[in-house]
Amino acid sequence: MKKLWTDLHSNIHHNQMDELDKWTEHAKEVLDFWPIAYYPFQMIKTESGAGLEDLCPEEEIKKDWEIVRGKVKEENANGYPMFMGYEWQGCGFDGDHNVFFLDNEQDMKHPMRYQELRDDYKDTEAIGIPHHVAYQLGSRGKNWATHDENFSPFAEIYSSHGCSENDTGGMDMERHLHMGPRTGETCYERGLEAGLHVGCIASGDNHNVPAACDHGTMCVLAEDASKAAIWAGMKARHVYGVSRSRMEIDFTADDKMMGDVIAPGKHNMKISICAADAIDRVELLKNNVLEEMIVHSGSWENKKIADDEVIRVKFTVEFGWGPNPRFYKDMLVKEWDGSLNVEGKLLSIDKEWNSYGQKLYDVTDDSCKFHMTTYMSTTTGHWMGPSTVVKEGFVFEVEGTPDSDVCLKVDNYEYHFTIRELMKTSRIKAQYQESIDLANRVYGKVDHYRDDFYWHNAYKTRIRQAVPQDAYVLNYEKEIDMEAGANYRLRVWLKNGDVAWVSPIFVEK
């Protein structure tokens, strides 16, 4: 099975349609396929000035839908798997869903209730995927009582909104406070408790750029990269989601895999994970309750590495931070140019991108070049208030001996590390002198007994601590007696806080 990545929740609005080409080109850089989710809603005001979200005028929606249809057909003809889709909300009683189609010939429907939506497409290869399910019932939270697992084979339980898996864990839904807070009454776990066969994914719910790494993405396991195979994988619930960095995950019981239904009894369960950073633990959940904790931390840290041993490691490099817009209002965008050269092999590169303006090029067996763009904005005028820093980065996997050199060039700087040094600790490399020069130009010399003004406003590159292959790869196998009517799923935690949610294997009743 191929593991193919996408963002199933990229909402493009009517006023963004002139950016469709830009969205598509970015999606093609970071996604194996792309189901676009047109957003047919706008804010309107009543005579009294109250703000309401409602459908755009019908003629606008129809015009935009034809533009989307033309773009999807064009990309399909050029070999890129792209699907048509749109967001449906109805009257709010059943929760929000994104509707997608296998072919490119369907029209949008906007009935008030979920059952009507399902029936409108009963003779069509269509799916309706619920998202941010843990909001209040009747107020756009998921209504599991009306759910049809054939029309909606899985649910989005992590996005920019936060985590809808339950109301007892971390990652609360706090970004969109006007819709929250979350509740346990409608969360993903209630759907499983109702006996529904429903998988789980993560995706962005992003209205600015497709596939923002920090808002989550999903993986589908498919026989190949054709639209038909991808569609079959999604319909079969062969899906999982990650909160940030991508993980290669296999979860099987004998010849069945995530999303499948299996007969009760004893089965050989296998878990295989290759992550972007050190794996902390894997939680095997049975009916939403922890059945077994597979702890990976502590299994690799004390292993000795010989000086001449050839090893594989992964490490993340991030770019961002920089001048505070409260002091430097015109310094909101920064472009970076750099490269990585390895005395050994450059095995893989994962893109951890959140916005436009990123480029990876001239990739060879031991080097690559990149051009990055980072953005900064402030959300408050208070000098100690929060600011939004959009970071961009890569996960590099390299091979060499502990003393092999790794050279990272960033703008006019050149940093050299051995693999051994990279495994020792993380590091921050600041463009410190540039910050001093900027302060001198704008404010003159800033005299103070601390360097706050220079350090706080310096562009920075963070090189996260490298971890060996034993840290980011886990293989586990055991015989498990699977109970009739139960479901078994995985939650994977990395030491850096990233999470993966894997669709259950369901047991026949």
Side-chain angles (χ1 to χ4, degrees), residues 324 326-327 380-385 456:
N324 191 320
R326 301 181 191 93
F327 304 119
T380 174
H382 191 275
W383 77 278
M384 282 294 286
H456 291 182

Side-chain angles (χ1 to χ4, degrees), residues 383-443:
W383 77 278
M384 282 294 286
S387 62
T388 302
V389 181
V390 179
K391 303 182 295 296
E392 307 293 341
F394 299 98
V395 179
F396 296 111
E397 184 179 29
V398 304
E399 182 180 86
T401 65
D403 294 316
S404 294
D405 181 70
V406 177
C407 175
L408 176 66
K409 295 181 181 179
V410 182
D411 295 335
N412 297 319
Y413 293 85
E414 184 172 307
Y415 310 115
H416 286 268
F417 310 97
T418 64
I419 291 178
R420 191 193 309 275
E421 290 171 333
L422 288 172
M423 294 174 65
K424 180 70 174 176
T425 186
S426 63
R427 294 171 172 81
I428 300 172
K429 298 297 182 181
Q431 299 189 3
Y432 195 83
Q433 185 59 49
E434 286 80 353
S435 182
I436 295 174
D437 296 341
L438 177 61
N440 289 341
R441 289 197 305 271
V442 177
Y443 296 102

Side-chain angles (χ1 to χ4, degrees), residues 41 73 80 84 95 99 117 119 138 143 165 194 197 211 240 289 310 329 346 465 472 485 504:
F41 302 95
K73 286 186 174 182
Y80 183 64
M84 291 185 74
V99 181
L117 180 73
D119 292 344
N143 184 352
E165 180 184 12
H197 295 161
Y240 63 92
V289 177
V310 176
K329 292 181 172 58
L346 177 58
Q465 182 176 350
Y472 59 84

Side-chain angles (χ1 to χ4, degrees), residues 11-26:
N11 287 134
I12 189 166
H13 293 237
H14 170 70
N15 61 359
Q16 297 170 308
M17 290 303 292
D18 59 349
E19 301 177 18
L20 180 57
D21 288 345
K22 183 179 180 181
W23 280 51
T24 305
E25 290 309 306
H26 183 80

Side-chain angles (χ1 to χ4, degrees), residues 129-383:
I129 305 305
H131 52 267
H132 54 57
V133 298
Y135 286 134
Q136 183 69 20
L137 182 64
S139 299
R140 298 184 43 198
K142 177 62 179 172
N143 184 352
W144 292 109
T146 62
H147 186 81
D148 184 329
E149 63 186 46
N150 294 311
F151 182 58
S152 303
F154 52 90
E156 175 191 297
I157 64 168
Y158 182 83
S159 70
S160 65
H161 287 255
C163 184
S164 295
E165 180 184 12
N166 51 48
D167 190 33
T168 56
M171 297 182 170
D172 209 340
M173 297 169 70
E174 297 180 335
R175 186 169 185 261
H176 299 271
L177 292 176
H178 59 286
M179 295 184 70
R182 71 179 178 180
T183 172
E185 294 176 286
T186 55
C187 68
Y188 172 71
E189 291 183 353
R190 299 295 87 80
L192 294 181
E193 288 173 3
L196 294 167
H197 295 161
V198 56
C200 56
I201 64 160
S203 279
D205 202 346
N206 195 318
H207 299 247
N208 298 309
V209 60
C213 174
D214 290 348
H215 293 164
T217 48
M218 66 160 282
C219 182
V220 60
L221 280 68
E223 290 187 358
D224 56 55
S226 67
K227 284 185 69 171
I230 292 168
W231 190 260
M234 292 196 295
K235 292 275 284 185
R237 302 178 296 266
H238 296 160
V239 296
Y240 63 92
V242 296
S243 66
R244 206 177 68 85
S245 62
R246 297 180 180 181
M247 308 181 209
E248 303 282 317
I249 301 177
D250 287 295
F251 173 47
T252 60
D254 294 339
D255 60 343
K256 300 294 185 180
M257 59 190 295
M258 63 184 80
D260 285 342
V261 179
I262 197 170
K266 292 184 177 180
H267 299 280
N268 188 42
M269 183 188 71
K270 290 184 180 180
I271 300 169
S272 178
I273 303 170
C274 181
D277 209 322
I279 300 166
D280 182 49
R281 65 194 186 278
V282 179
E283 296 170 350
L284 173 64
L285 305 173
K286 173 188 174 183
N287 298 334
N288 298 323
V289 177
L290 181 66
E291 177 78 359
E292 183 174 351
M293 181 86 75
I294 304 158
V295 179
H296 195 58
S297 288
S299 67
W300 58 271
E301 290 88 339
N302 293 323
K303 290 184 178 179
K304 302 299 182 183
I305 301 173
D307 291 343
D308 59 349
E309 185 177 348
V310 176
I311 58 174
R312 294 183 174 189
V313 301
K314 284 187 178 182
F315 61 97
T316 301
V317 179
E318 296 169 314
F319 307 89
W321 301 273
N324 191 320
R326 301 181 191 93
F327 304 119
Y328 301 106
K329 292 181 172 58
D330 298 325
M331 304 289 291
L332 300 179
V333 181
K334 158 72 172 167
E335 295 192 18
W336 313 68
D337 283 290
S339 64
L340 187 81
N341 291 266
V342 180
E343 187 184 17
K345 293 181 179 179
L346 177 58
L347 298 174
S348 67
I349 307 170
D350 286 349
K351 302 169 182 175
E352 295 196 338
W353 295 355
N354 286 299
S355 49
Y356 298 117
Q358 323 311 328
K359 184 180 180 182
L360 173 67
Y361 62 102
D362 290 354
V363 179
T364 71
D365 290 340
D366 61 2
S367 67
C368 67
K369 296 179 181 178
F370 51 82
H371 176 88
M372 311 296 286
T373 307
T374 58
Y375 303 85
M376 177 179 277
S377 64
T378 181
T379 56
T380 174
H382 191 275
W383 77 278

